Amino acid sequence: MKIMVVESPSKIDTLSKILGDGWKIMASAGHVRDLPRKALGISQPDFDLHYEYSPGIEGKPHTGGKARVDRIRLHLSDAEMVYLATDPDREGEAIAWHLKDALGLRDSEYQRVSFGSIEPAAVAEGLRNARKLDMASVHAQEGRRALDRLVGYLVSPVLSDMAGMGLSAGRVQSPALRLIVDRERAIRAFKVTNHFGAVVKFDGGAWSAKWDTAPFVSEERPYVMDVELASRAAACRSFRVLTSDSKDAKENPPSPFDTALLLQAASVKLKMDADVTMKAAQALFEGPPGAEHGFITYHRTDSVNFSPASLAEIRAYAQAKGLPVSDKARTWKESEDAQAGHQAIRPTDLSVEEAGETEAQRGLYRLIRERAIASQLAEARYRNTAVRLVALDGGTAFEFVAKGRVMTDPGWRVLTQGDAADEGNGDDDETGQVPVLPVGSGKLADNAGELTKLKTVAPPRYTEAALVKRLKADGIGRPATYVAIVKTIQSRDYVRVEKRMFVPTEVGQVLVDSLVRARFGFVELGFTRVMETQLDRIAKGELSYRDVVSAAHSELEKELKSVALNSDLKPAHSCPNCQAPLRLLKRPGKATIWFCTGADTCKTFMDDDKGKPVPRKEHPCPTCETAMRRFKRKKGPGFGWFCPKEGCETFLDDKDGKPLAAQACPKCSKALRRYAKKDADKKPTGLFGWFCTGGDDCKTFFEDVNGRPVEIKTAPCPKCDRTMHRRQGQYGWYWGCSGYREGCKTTMADEGGKPVPKRSGGGSGKSSKSASKPKTRTTRAKPK
């Protein structure tokens, strides 16, 4: 028997069908080991990484990394060979190495295989090209992990002390966040400039020409702000043709999708978030359980080119469908850091026009398929016409420009209308069906032109598509990390999304400002780009892991020492007892507090007042006079107070941030406890009551009036003679029969603490003013 280990369990059925008998397919379910969750996990001077098994999910067996490895190990004795078939990227290579190491496989006992798609031909090719682990790629992945960990663990505490709140620095996500913060500040600093232009129309509005303002502006004053001058331009009617030109132009199709382009296209065209897009792509790559093959090739790639075999297949398919195929196979220039051996994303079977189990998967598949086929079609052809006209007014020459474009051959646009990854609004220079005019001839406008009121526009906020595009352009991150970058800055509340655009939160701006003030190099885009290039060089065997990580660590240590010596970068708030930094702690549903980050012996806590620490309000315990502490109730809404002194079990209820005085039950002398009332749907009503803690021996209840227990008044029910209770409801006091469970639904209004019949017209008691007034009737005088 041969064993193949893949990452995702959903690949097992498909691969079992492809490989047939004699194979056992098992899944690692992703990473089985990682760096420690609560420790740095990196030792010096060699910067060795210390791994531990990934933790499991509480309550679910076999989810931890060790359990998954042990499950695979059970079958090793029957295996003639183990094939490590994790994903074909650096992270997949690292997972394969962890599996080999954790399983204790010797070199003769394993083979590393990878395939860019889950289909018979690709799997067979992967097995033919089986190899040993590429340790250079493993070291590159370890380098990324080590650098991320060093920045996170060494910088985050310093950053948090500077800001006085828990902040997390990230080697890659912090520069991404800075892009968003810098753009937001550019928008806020932007000042609108109102300016003017002019447009004239010809031939019944078939085409128009725009005033060329270049002769009237300068570098210091780039816009025409003289309305009188613009009005003169708009008033021109008689023109002479200065130049007239018509030429053929062509437009090549966009490249196939790499990961960044796929994320952009899904965001623009399908309005899908990056995380949703990659999950849909993963499902398409794997195919549904029991499928004959996956639907697309591997989706984490930085290549925009296909293999020669894929190119031939796409071109043959397009030709068979009667589509206009380009004369030569199209290829695109790759970025220097593109990973070798990868190809662009394409369908595994072009004849499959629809694929996917969800609408997100189906929409994404259509984009991928159209893009792959269109990339090999002929260019679209156009006839471009440009005319420049001049009009004279009192010795001033006003030139106007008209541009027109007419499609003569749709080419690749027969399949798709444009680049799905492009957020642009098209060419706004086109002014209609512009004719070719004889140079020197005259031309009369339809009538007086139009004065156009214009204004400058602030730079737009980043959408997810625009941010991924910028990250790729600046060399920040790689295909496997784009989604993690976007998710991290959102999950840590550094940005929020408004109308599909990123807006930095106050915390996000504080983080970026603190990093910039401290002059940490990793927040600079140039530094990040260089570091990514060095990781690529590790993968190519040109640099060593230790040299790259050691140099980055040395630079980081210098920066940290500089921060420690800079008095302007001292902690925002210090503990009044031990001078250690104080840190703000916001807890959902709990009071915001400040806590001391010093030694365990100093357990100073302070209250928060508008973002600043203030001494905690102390309320002495009525039993032992120890300062009581406020806590959030685990069950039910609201807060309570408890005495921290050992042996003293005093608990008090809370009202407006202060402990309520202890109240004793008048019947059994046990303590009374305040509770929040709920409606029939078990939702808080905002009302309270009191109950006796004496248990079954005493079932006394009281109403709550301004934080004090008030005895519930009673009266006999006029219908069933059972006891009626006076209760406080959403609309005031009322009386209800205690026999409601037995079917008596009698309720009465309250007036002066006594039950009275409800008045017609709604309302109860004195709370219904309209019900207490006699009704009047207005009559009209009869006409005489």
Side-chain angles (χ1 to χ4, degrees):
M1 180 186 68
K2 299 174 183 177
I3 292 178
M4 178 176 285
V5 183
V6 295
E7 287 187 41
S8 173
S10 59
K11 298 177 184 177
I12 293 176
D13 288 346
T14 302
L15 287 169
S16 295
K17 282 188 175 183
I18 292 173
L19 293 171
D21 296 336
W23 286 86
K24 184 171 185 60
I25 317 300
M26 305 189 73
S28 71
H31 289 271
V32 296
R33 297 192 309 196
D34 199 0
L35 294 173
R37 300 181 72 183
K38 296 183 179 180
L40 180 61
I42 304 174
S43 62
Q44 298 183 46
D46 294 332
F47 296 93
D48 291 331
L49 302 181
H50 302 282
Y51 296 103
E52 59 184 28
Y53 283 109
S54 303
I57 301 174
E58 188 174 351
K60 292 187 178 182
H62 311 304
T63 59
K66 187 176 188 307
R68 285 177 271 144
V69 169
D70 289 344
R71 192 164 60 245
I72 297 171
R73 184 180 285 113
L74 289 175
H75 300 274
L76 292 184
S77 59
D78 299 326
E80 59 183 89
M81 181 61 67
V82 177
Y83 292 87
L84 303 176
T86 49
D87 288 349
D89 56 14
R90 292 176 197 166
E91 190 169 12
E93 202 73 18
I95 293 174
W97 174 79
H98 280 290
L99 286 167
K100 172 190 176 294
D101 189 62
L103 291 168
L105 297 175
R106 295 189 294 270
D107 285 351
S108 60
E109 296 173 330
Y110 87 94
Q111 290 287 341
R112 169 73 169 120
V113 295
S114 61
F115 25 85
S117 61
I118 302 178
E119 53 183 334
V123 173
E125 183 181 359
L127 290 171
R128 282 196 301 271
N129 296 312
R131 56 178 173 80
K132 296 304 174 185
L133 282 164
D134 178 4
M135 293 309 296
S137 290
V138 174
H139 294 152
Q141 181 62 24
E142 287 191 314
R144 179 181 298 280
R145 197 75 185 89
L147 293 171
D148 290 346
R149 180 56 68 101
L150 288 171
V151 168
Y153 267 71
L154 300 182
V155 178
S156 296
V158 175
L159 198 65
S160 300
D161 291 344
M162 286 174 56
M165 65 178 74
L167 297 177
S168 176
R171 183 186 65 86
V172 181
Q173 61 260 29
S174 292
L177 177 62
R178 184 178 183 180
L179 288 172
I180 296 171
V181 171
D182 288 349
R183 176 63 60 86
E184 186 69 19
R185 287 178 174 162
I187 294 170
R188 292 175 188 172
F190 180 81
K191 293 183 179 180
V192 175
T193 301
N194 294 308
H195 58 106
F196 302 96
V199 175
V200 292
K201 296 181 179 180
F202 299 90
D203 298 338
W207 60 283
S208 59
K210 294 180 180 179
W211 176 32
D212 182 3
T213 61
F216 303 95
V217 299
S218 63
E219 189 173 341
E220 293 76 22
R221 295 177 63 85
Y223 305 105
V224 172
M225 303 173 72
D226 184 345
V227 65
E228 183 179 347
L229 178 66
S231 298
R232 288 172 58 196
C236 295
R237 287 201 65 201
S238 181
F239 294 87
R240 179 169 56 87
V241 179
L242 285 178
T243 62
S244 181
D245 186 32
S246 182
K247 59 178 65 174
D248 291 326
K250 62 182 181 179
E251 179 188 29
N252 290 326
S255 72
F257 285 137
D258 62 4
T259 301
L261 288 172
L262 181 66
L263 292 173
Q264 293 168 54
S267 176
V268 173
K269 195 80 171 177
L270 305 177
K271 311 302 180 189
M272 283 165 48
D273 295 337
D275 190 33
V276 174
T277 300
M278 292 309 281
K279 286 179 179 177
Q282 182 74 35
L284 290 171
F285 171 65
E286 295 169 355
E292 297 294 333
H293 56 77
F295 294 124
I296 64 170
T297 56
Y298 192 56
H299 50 288
R300 292 187 180 92
T301 174
D302 47 15
S303 174
V304 290
N305 285 304
F306 296 127
S307 67
S310 297
L311 282 173
E313 180 184 340
I314 293 170
R315 293 172 66 81
Y317 177 84
Q319 232 165 8
K321 288 293 183 180
L323 296 171
V325 180
S326 61
D327 295 335
K328 295 181 180 179
R330 293 189 186 278
T331 58
W332 281 261
K333 184 179 180 181
E334 299 277 22
S335 61
E336 294 181 0
D337 49 21
Q339 295 185 37
H342 284 194
Q343 62 171 314
I345 307 167
R346 63 169 178 83
T348 56
D349 185 352
L350 290 167
S351 65
V352 177
E353 296 184 3
E354 291 284 336
E357 296 183 300
T358 66
E359 189 53 45
Q361 294 173 24
R362 289 189 287 271
L364 196 65
Y365 181 80
R366 284 192 292 269
L367 282 182
I368 293 169
R369 184 175 180 275
E370 283 182 359
R371 185 84 165 211
I373 298 172
S375 71
Q376 296 305 312
L377 299 186
E379 63 269 9
R381 294 185 176 276
Y382 302 88
R383 186 70 178 173
N384 291 346
T385 304
V387 174
R388 179 175 288 270
L389 309 103
V390 63
L392 296 176
D393 178 59
T396 304
F398 293 96
E399 295 187 11
F400 285 73
V401 176
K403 294 180 180 180
R405 184 170 83 156
V406 177
M407 181 182 288
T408 57
D409 184 350
W412 62 273
R413 286 185 177 272
V414 297
L415 191 65
T416 178
Q417 287 304 303
D419 187 347
D422 187 6
E423 287 189 298
N425 297 318
D427 187 359
D428 59 359
D429 289 334
E430 293 182 31
T431 55
Q433 298 177 6
V434 181
V436 179
L437 300 174
V439 175
S441 63
K443 189 67 179 175
L444 194 66
D446 291 345
N447 45 44
E450 176 188 353
L451 173 71
T452 54
K453 296 180 179 180
L454 308 170
K455 63 180 181 179
T456 54
V457 180
R461 287 173 171 151
Y462 283 105
T463 61
E464 200 170 78
L467 181 62
V468 171
K469 184 176 182 179
R470 179 68 189 271
L471 293 176
K472 183 182 179 183
D474 285 338
I476 300 173
R478 287 296 181 263
T481 64
Y482 294 136
V483 173
I485 292 170
V486 173
K487 282 183 66 176
T488 298
I489 59 177
Q490 290 185 77
S491 64
R492 290 178 178 164
D493 197 33
Y494 297 154
V495 300
R496 64 179 185 274
V497 179
E498 293 182 3
K499 297 179 180 178
R500 299 187 59 80
M501 291 182 283
F502 290 123
V503 181
T505 63
E506 184 177 346
V507 176
Q509 294 175 69
V510 168
L511 187 151
V512 170
D513 289 344
S514 300
L515 288 172
V516 173
R517 281 177 54 220
R519 297 183 178 179
F520 283 109
F522 67 87
V523 80
E524 302 295 337
L525 302 183
F527 178 93
T528 305
R529 186 185 307 112
V530 169
M531 191 54 61
E532 292 288 357
T533 301
Q534 290 187 339
L535 292 173
D536 293 337
R537 293 184 66 188
I538 294 175
K540 296 174 183 177
E542 298 173 359
L543 291 175
S544 73
Y545 159 86
R546 189 174 293 108
D547 289 345
V548 171
V549 175
S550 176
H553 177 258
S554 297
E555 188 63 30
L556 193 59
E557 278 196 322
K558 291 178 185 177
E559 293 167 350
L560 290 168
K561 288 178 182 178
S562 178
V563 171
L565 296 173
N566 190 337
S567 59
D568 294 333
L569 301 177
K570 61 183 180 182
H573 303 284
S574 298
C575 173
N577 295 326
C578 71
Q579 306 308 310
L582 287 174
R583 198 168 297 168
L584 186 69
L585 179 61
K586 292 183 178 180
R587 303 167 294 176
K590 298 184 180 181
T592 298
I593 62 171
W594 292 78
F595 68 95
C596 176
T597 61
D600 292 338
T601 54
C602 182
K603 297 182 179 181
T604 301
F605 291 88
M606 302 184 75
D607 288 330
D608 176 71
D609 182 17
K610 298 178 181 178
K612 294 184 179 180
V614 295
R616 300 195 84 172
K617 294 178 181 178
E618 294 190 352
H619 300 280
C621 172
T623 304
C624 66
E625 297 190 350
T626 302
M628 301 192 77
R629 293 180 184 172
R630 190 170 182 244
F631 67 95
K632 175 73 172 67
R633 297 185 185 277
K634 290 184 178 179
K635 294 183 179 180
F639 295 84
W641 292 79
F642 74 97
C643 178
K645 185 176 180 179
E646 189 174 350
C648 183
E649 298 181 355
T650 302
F651 287 85
L652 297 179
D653 294 288
D654 175 270
K655 187 177 189 302
D656 300 330
K658 296 180 181 179
L660 288 169
Q663 303 287 340
C665 176
K667 291 186 178 181
C668 68
S669 300
K670 295 286 186 179
L672 293 178
R673 184 71 46 79
R674 191 171 183 247
Y675 70 95
K677 292 185 177 180
K678 297 180 180 180
D679 60 17
D681 297 324
K682 296 185 178 182
K683 294 181 180 179
T685 63
L687 302 174
F688 294 87
W690 293 76
F691 70 94
C692 178
T693 60
D696 294 336
D697 296 333
C698 183
K699 298 182 178 180
T700 307
F701 286 84
F702 295 86
E703 291 292 349
D704 178 86
V705 178
N706 296 324
R708 289 187 164 274
V710 175
E711 185 176 357
I712 300 174
K713 294 183 178 181
T714 62
C717 175
K719 286 191 176 181
C720 69
D721 208 33
R722 291 187 179 89
T723 302
M724 295 193 81
H725 294 117
R726 184 175 184 253
R727 302 189 183 282
Q728 189 178 23
Q730 187 176 0
Y731 302 105
W733 293 96
Y734 71 98
W735 291 76
C737 180
S738 61
Y740 70 94
R741 294 183 186 275
E742 287 75 30
C744 184
K745 308 295 183 183
T746 303
T747 58
M748 302 182 73
D750 177 85
E751 190 171 292
K754 296 180 179 180
V756 296
K758 288 185 176 180
R759 295 186 178 93
S760 60
S764 63
K766 295 181 180 179
S767 63
S768 179
K769 294 182 180 179
S770 63
S772 65
K773 292 182 179 180
K775 294 183 178 179
T776 60
R777 184 174 63 187
T778 302
T779 59
R780 295 182 179 179
K782 294 182 179 179
K784 294 179 180 179

